[in-house]
């Protein structure tokens, strides 16, 4: 079939297998170009199919030569409908990993469930014995709690008062004012249940109880802080409460890993276009201005550049891992640079539908968005027939 983008708001319903493969190959080549990382050897990535999790898996495999197991929730093609991007990404990753002689297997299903945790534990036990790195990179709008059966839906809302600010529809370029009413207590609890640290701790407890963590094992989850501009809806909003909980959980997990000499970190990453971040109001406008400023300064990074730097210069640099006053790794350091933030804040004031194409990198935002689904990727022939049915070679 010939596959074209079918966009509905901040989601694209189709994905292109060859475009997704090319993205993965580009990431692999980037990691290889940066030389080897004296890093982990056996890695579990939870949320491995897109975004920061995929970049973590690629960096582990092609930077540190690690065996990887990826857990994710993706759809294969069905009845002439293409699969989801993470399906195609994983198929490509595993194909190239296997060609390079690397162990790579995956499990597709709900990582919040006991069933998928058990399946993963069994696979580690049989194939790897233990893991020395666990990356936790889930982004989900919903979690069925494995103990209570309650369905928690996360929301992106401010807390305490209505938030009004500019936002952009990145497809049309239309800049408008958005008002978001404050969250209820229940909204906050639900968001923390989905995006907080409880599930991360459950994974680490289960791995430890089954003796599947190697001595000195490390685990890393990803967080975001961002500027004052987005604070009310992000860091001081419902999702921020979840990130507070996630960050606090790192300390609990580190305590529980004491006898193994293990350690849990949260890495604060840069704002980037992913499926998760496209859904957050206000953030796309911020990202389009941020990209413009960071590209002009030559310090723009995508997910792979972020994670490669996280591994090579922070986690596995052969020295103590540098952290901020709250114990967090800051790989958002370039985003948060004073000069960058001052310029973004000034541009924010000027941003309108008319000025944005000039002062912001709306085109860069859109290209990144389409790239997530394997579209508009350089070197890919979109006019020709492709087989949408693709096997994931390491799928268990
Ligand atoms: P993403 O949407 O690209 O990736 C999410 C991953 O989770 C995918 O592999 C997906 O298959 C998997 N997943 C979702 N629900 C699942 C479930 N129930 N069971 C199994 N797998 C499931 O998201 P992204 O942006 O890479 O986010 C990862 C983490 O990074 C999140 O904690 C996010 O808050 C954080 N982060 C994101 C930033 C951004 O700007 N995108 C910035 C800083 C941190
Ligand atoms: Na991810």
């Amino acid at each position: 079939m010939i596959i074209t983008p079918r966009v509905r708001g901040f989601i694209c319903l189709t994905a292109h297998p060859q475009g997704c493969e090319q993205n993965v190959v580009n990431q692999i080549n980037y990691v290889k170009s940066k030389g080897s990382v004296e890093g982990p050897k056996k890695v579990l990535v939870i949320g491995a199919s897109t975004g920061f999790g995929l970049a973590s898996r690629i960096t582990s495999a092609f930077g540190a030569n690690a065996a990887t197991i990826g857990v994710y929730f993706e759809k294969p093609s069905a009845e002439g409908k293409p699969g989801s991007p993470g399906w195609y990404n994983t198929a490509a990753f595993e194909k190239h990993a296997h060609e390079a002689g690397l162990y790579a297997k995956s499990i597709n299903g709900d990582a919040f469930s006991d069933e998928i945790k058990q399946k993963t534990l069994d696979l580690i036990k049989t194939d790897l014995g233990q893991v020395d790195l666990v990356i936790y990179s889930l982004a989900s709008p919903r979690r069925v709690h494995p103990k209570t059966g309650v369905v928690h839906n996360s929301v992106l809302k401010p807390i305490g008062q209505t938030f009004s600010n500019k936002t952009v529809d990145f497809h049309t370029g239309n800049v408008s004012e958005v008002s978001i009413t404050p969250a209820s207590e229940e909204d906050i609890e639900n968001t923390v249940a989905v995006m907080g640290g409880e599930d991360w701790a459950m994974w680490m407890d289960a791995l430890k109880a089954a003796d599947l963590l190697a001595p000195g094992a490390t685990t890393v989850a990803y967080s975001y802080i961002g500027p004052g501009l987005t604070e009310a809806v992000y860091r001081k909003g419902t999702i921020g409460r979840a990130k507070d909980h996630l960050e606090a959980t790192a300390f609990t997990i580190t305590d529980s890993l004491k006898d193994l000499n293990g350690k849990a970190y949260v890495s604060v990453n840069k704002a980037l276009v992913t499926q998760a971040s496209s859904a957050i109001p206000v953030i796309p406008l911020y990202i389009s201005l941020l990209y413009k400023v960071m590209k002009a300064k030559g310090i723009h990074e995508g997910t792979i550049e972020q994670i490669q730097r996280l591994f090579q210069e922070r986690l596995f640099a052969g020295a103590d891992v540098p952290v901020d006053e709250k114990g967090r790794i800051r790989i958002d350091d370039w985003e948060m640079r004073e000069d960058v933030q001052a310029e973004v804040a000034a541009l924010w004031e000027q941003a309108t539908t008319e000025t944005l194409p000039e002062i912001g990198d709306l085109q860069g935002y859109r290209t990144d968005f389409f790239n997530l689904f394997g579209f508009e990727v350089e070197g890919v022939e979109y006019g020709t027939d492709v087989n949408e049915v693709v096997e994931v070679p390491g799928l268990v």
Side-chain angles (χ1 to χ4, degrees):
M1 67 196 295
I2 291 175
I3 307 175
T4 54
R6 282 184 53 213
V7 175
R8 295 285 174 279
F10 46 75
I11 190 84
C12 180
L13 302 173
T14 49
H16 199 280
Q18 287 172 3
C20 290
E21 177 166 11
Q22 189 59 52
N23 282 335
V24 168
V25 167
N26 292 346
Q27 293 195 39
I28 291 171
N29 289 339
Y30 176 78
V31 166
K32 283 186 179 168
S33 79
K34 301 300 277 186
S36 67
V37 178
E38 283 306 311
K41 289 293 158 242
K42 295 172 181 179
V43 181
L44 170 64
V45 182
I46 303 155
S49 54
T50 58
F52 286 113
L54 174 65
S56 305
R57 193 177 189 193
I58 292 172
T59 305
S60 298
F62 289 91
N65 242 341
T68 59
I69 291 176
V71 180
Y72 53 83
F73 210 1
E74 301 291 349
K75 284 201 196 81
S77 58
E79 292 155 17
K81 266 193 66 194
S84 58
W87 179 273
Y88 293 137
N89 290 341
T90 305
F93 168 80
E94 290 181 1
K95 176 179 132 188
H96 289 276
H98 293 173
E99 278 170 15
L102 293 163
Y103 173 99
K105 287 192 184 177
S106 55
I107 291 174
N108 187 23
D110 181 7
F112 295 127
S113 70
D114 288 341
E115 183 204 338
I116 289 298
K117 286 188 177 72
Q118 191 54 52
K119 205 172 165 185
T120 309
L121 301 187
D122 292 344
L123 181 62
I124 295 172
K125 194 184 193 108
T126 310
D127 285 9
L128 302 181
Q130 290 183 321
V131 291
D132 53 6
L133 175 66
V134 179
I135 298 287
Y136 187 83
S137 187
L138 292 184
S140 174
R142 148 181 211 281
R143 173 180 175 216
V144 181
H145 196 286
K147 307 299 170 205
T148 63
V150 171
V151 180
H152 300 281
N153 290 296
S154 71
V155 300
L156 296 155
K157 288 186 180 175
I159 294 173
Q161 56 198 39
T162 298
F163 171 72
S164 300
N165 210 326
K166 294 178 188 178
T167 192
V168 67
D169 176 332
F170 58 86
H171 296 298
T172 62
N174 189 49
V175 177
S176 64
E177 194 79 14
V178 64
S179 274
I180 314 165
T181 54
S184 65
E185 252 336 292
E186 211 187 339
D187 286 335
I188 299 171
E189 283 165 24
N190 280 322
T191 306
V192 171
V194 179
M195 290 298 286
E198 187 188 27
D199 183 62
W200 183 25
M202 283 180 169
W203 270 100
M204 296 311 297
D205 286 346
L207 287 161
K208 183 163 189 250
D211 195 22
L212 299 176
L213 295 175
T218 302
T219 183
V220 185
Y222 299 134
S223 188
Y224 183 65
I225 298 177
L229 283 168
T230 60
E231 200 168 58
V233 70
Y234 196 96
R235 193 64 210 209
K236 291 192 173 158
T238 48
I239 182 74
R241 286 293 175 86
K243 291 304 187 190
D244 290 344
H245 187 271
L246 185 80
E247 291 172 14
T249 303
F251 294 98
T252 322
I253 295 175
T254 293
D255 275 345
S256 75
L257 300 182
K258 276 245 157 71
D259 54 328
L260 287 174
N261 206 14
K263 185 107 176 93
Y265 291 101
V266 162
S267 171
V268 182
N269 297 349
K270 176 196 185 193
L272 281 171
V273 180
T274 64
Q275 291 183 67
S277 67
S278 307
I280 310 177
V282 187
I283 298 280
L285 179 58
Y286 169 70
I287 290 182
S288 67
L289 299 173
L290 181 73
Y291 274 26
K292 184 82 169 188
V293 171
M294 292 187 82
K295 285 178 183 177
K297 291 178 186 289
I299 53 171
H300 175 70
E301 297 176 298
T303 48
I304 196 68
E305 289 85 357
Q306 276 270 291
I307 299 299
Q308 200 282 333
R309 191 160 66 92
L310 170 67
F311 275 50
Q312 199 161 50
E313 296 181 17
R314 300 286 198 278
L315 285 171
F316 305 109
D320 281 351
V321 177
V323 292
D324 70 7
E325 74 291 349
K326 290 187 171 167
R328 304 170 295 203
I329 301 171
R330 300 300 297 270
I331 208 73
D332 65 339
D333 48 349
W334 298 348
E335 169 181 357
M336 298 312 284
R337 251 168 54 174
E338 231 168 273
D339 58 324
V340 171
Q341 286 302 322
E343 286 177 40
V344 171
L347 292 174
W348 186 275
E349 294 304 315
Q350 302 165 28
T352 62
T353 305
E354 290 67 40
T355 61
L356 191 60
E358 194 54 38
I359 67 168
D361 186 23
L362 206 51
Q363 197 48 53
Y365 193 105
R366 282 196 200 116
T367 304
D368 274 12
F369 177 80
F370 283 106
N371 285 352
L372 294 176
F373 303 90
F375 296 110
E376 296 185 19
V377 179
E378 232 175 282
V380 177
E381 267 298 334
Y382 289 101
T384 54
D385 256 325
V386 287
N387 188 355
E388 79 282 7
V389 183
V390 176
E391 301 290 327
V392 174
L395 186 64
V396 175

